[in-house]
Every structure is written in C-alpha cells, then in structure tokens.
C-alpha cells in the first residue's frame, strides 16, 4: 500500500508525463484558430478563416485522397500476407520458423531512410518501374505487414489450438473450422491490426518520399512541403489539428477490438 505522499508524487508525475505528451498537440489545436499567420503564442485573436481556406484547398484534398488510397491498399496487402505468415509461423512447426518470424518483423526496425533507399533502388534500377501510387502502396505494405503479423501471432498464441482440435474431432472440415471457430476468435485482432496498419501508413513520410516520385503527394508530404510557406502556415495548423482529433478514432478502435479474444464486439 502506497503512502499518501507516494500517491501524491505518483499523481504529479502522471500529470507531468501527460502534459509533456499532449501540450504540443494542444498548442497545434489552439493555433488552428489563431488569427495570426504565424505560429505565435499566445494567440492574437481567434478566427475560423483558416478552416475555410483549408476546406477550399485543392492540394490538401488531393493529397488526402492519395493518402487514403495508399493506406487502404497497403492495409489490404498487409492483412493478407501478415495473417498468412502469422498462421504459418504459429500453427506449423518447420525448419527455419524462427528465422522466418525474424525476417518478417525486421522491416519495422530498420530506419525509414534505409527502407526508402532500398525500395527506390529496387523499383527504379532493378525493376525499371515508374514511381507512383502503386510503388508507395508496396513500400508501405513492407512495414504494415509487421503490425498485422504481430497482432495475429499474439492472438493465436493466446488462443491455442484446443477449440480448433475439438472442432476437427467433431467432424468439421478445415474450412468449417476456420469459418466457425478460428475466424470469429481472430476477428477483433484482424480489425485492430488493420486499423493500426492504416494509421501507420497514413502518416508515413520518409518511405513515401523515396517511393512516390515527383507527381504524387500524400498528405504528410503536402504538409511538410507547405510548412515553411508563410501564407500556408495557418492552413497547415488546421490540417494538423484535424488530424490530431481524427487520430483518436483508430487508436480507440484498435484498443477496443484488440482486447476482444472472441471478436464479439464486431
């Protein structure tokens, strides 16, 4: 049992940590309503003018659509390949299983610039491809697979094989066991992995820079390109504030579904 002074110190430390994490984000949200064109604080006044400018920005909407397309494409690829790899590693015993698991997880640990350079060289020099949305999707899928793989493997490890074995003993085929037993138990984990993979892809900038080419802009690249333009600074604040608020949704959903072993909340 902690003493009263220890509990007080723990609360103070918790408040300090939360302030350290969220004070900069709060500043971005406040600046989105700042009548000044700079990032000055405190605000010189409040206005909704920058929100109207952001809503009328064609470049922002185009880059947002590109980010959504890339995120969905990378998530679909990651779901298919990451889930298959997780089932293979967790449900089958074969030579080199640990090595395969290590190689699947490795891309997420590499510096983004290394991954970007490697992908750029592969696409342009080795394969002779033109950089565009397709190459960005493939590039993002290389690290999104890790998210799905880890989520799926962790769920499979916790569930074990008892229910699947019981289903097989009762005469169910492999497909029936997967459909009625395995998939319902895995559903929450797959949804959580997909949400996190999409979120990771949506805000990626380093790998995107090396795989997009000059004709494709995702939202993070658009934000970075306009960040130091004085006329665009207020609009960037608005977009950043909107993304900060929207980012709460995938994190909440991933936590909600990721902790549901039976997938009953879908």
């Amino acid at each position: 049992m902690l003493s009263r002074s220890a509990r007080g110190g723990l609360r103070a430390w918790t408040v300090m940590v939360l302030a350290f994490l969220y004070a900069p984000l709060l500043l971005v949200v406040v600046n989105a309503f700042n009548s000044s064109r700079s990032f000055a604080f405190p605000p010189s006044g409040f206005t909704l003018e920058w929100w109207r400018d952001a809503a009328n920005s064609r470049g922002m909407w185009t880059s947002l659509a590109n980010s959504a397309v890339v995120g969905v494409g990378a998530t679909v690829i990651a779901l298919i390949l990451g889930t298959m790899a997780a089932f293979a590693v967790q449900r089958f015993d074969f030579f080199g299983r640990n090595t395969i698991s290590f190689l699947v997880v490795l891309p997420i640990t590499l510096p983004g610039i290394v991954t970007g350079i490697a992908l750029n060289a592969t696409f342009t020099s080795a394969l002779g491809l033109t950089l565009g949305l397709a190459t960005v999707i493939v590039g993002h899928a290389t690290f999104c697979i890790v998210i799905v793989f880890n989520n799926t493997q962790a769920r499979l490890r916790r569930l074990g094989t008892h229910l699947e074995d019981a289903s097989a003993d009762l005469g169910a085929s492999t497909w029936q066991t997967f459909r009625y037993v395995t998939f319902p138990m895995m559903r929450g984990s797959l949804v959580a992995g997909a949400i996190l993979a999409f979120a990771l892809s949506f805000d990626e900038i380093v790998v995107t820079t090396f795989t997009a080419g000059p004709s494709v802009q995702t939202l993070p690249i658009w934000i970075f390109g306009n960040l130091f333009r004085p006329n665009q600074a207020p609009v960037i604040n608005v977009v950043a504030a909107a993304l900060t608020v929207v980012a709460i949704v995938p994190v909440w959903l991933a936590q909600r579904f990721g902790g549901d072993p039976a997938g009953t909340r879908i």
Side-chain angles (χ1 to χ4, degrees):
M1 190 68 178
L2 294 177
S3 64
R4 179 176 298 179
S5 59
R7 290 198 300 269
L10 184 60
R11 292 192 188 98
W13 180 254
T14 302
V15 171
M16 290 174 59
V17 171
L18 291 176
F20 176 78
L21 291 175
Y22 291 103
L25 297 179
L26 181 61
L27 181 60
V28 169
V29 174
V30 171
N31 267 327
F33 300 93
N34 190 353
S35 59
S36 172
R37 287 187 172 272
S38 67
F39 293 98
F41 188 85
S44 57
F46 291 89
T47 180
L48 294 176
E49 178 183 354
W50 316 130
W51 290 83
R52 290 191 295 268
D53 291 345
N56 295 325
S57 174
R58 180 177 299 179
M60 189 276 293
W61 287 113
T62 300
S63 60
L64 176 62
N66 288 337
S67 288
V69 170
V70 170
V72 171
T75 300
V76 170
I77 295 174
L79 269 178
I80 296 173
L81 298 183
T83 302
M84 293 173 64
F87 268 92
V89 169
Q90 194 60 37
R91 286 292 188 259
F92 299 96
D93 189 10
F94 55 91
F95 176 76
R97 184 176 66 170
N98 292 334
T99 302
I100 295 297
S101 179
F102 171 77
L103 292 176
V104 172
V105 176
L106 182 61
I108 200 69
T109 66
L110 294 175
I113 192 169
V114 174
T115 302
I117 292 173
L119 289 170
N120 181 278
T122 301
F123 291 142
T124 58
S125 301
L127 301 178
L129 299 176
T130 301
L131 299 180
L133 279 180
T135 55
V136 178
I137 291 172
V138 174
H140 285 201
T142 59
F143 53 81
C144 288
I145 288 175
V146 182
I147 305 299
V148 177
F149 176 81
N150 284 339
N151 265 37
T152 305
Q153 188 181 34
R155 179 61 56 83
L156 288 172
R157 187 181 295 116
R158 291 203 304 270
L159 292 176
T161 61
H162 300 88
L163 294 177
E164 294 170 332
D165 293 341
S167 176
D169 290 340
L170 292 172
S173 65
T174 302
W175 168 246
Q176 288 174 322
T177 298
F178 176 79
R179 180 181 178 184
Y180 295 111
V181 179
T182 307
F183 181 71
M185 294 189 298
M186 295 298 304
R187 193 163 46 188
S189 176
L190 294 176
V191 171
I195 293 172
L196 291 176
F198 180 86
L200 185 63
S201 170
F202 193 85
D203 67 359
E204 168 60 37
I205 186 171
V206 178
V207 172
T208 309
T209 302
F210 287 92
T211 57
S215 61
V216 175
Q217 270 194 334
T218 59
L219 190 59
I221 291 181
W222 181 85
I223 291 175
F224 185 75
N226 289 277
L227 182 61
F228 302 105
R229 297 180 181 178
N231 291 333
Q232 288 293 327
V235 177
I236 296 302
N237 281 331
V238 169
V239 176
L243 290 178
T244 300
V245 175
V246 171
I248 298 173
V249 178
V251 174
W252 177 77
L253 289 175
Q255 286 188 335
R256 181 172 184 267
F257 294 131
D260 179 23
T264 55
R265 297 178 182 174
I266 301 296

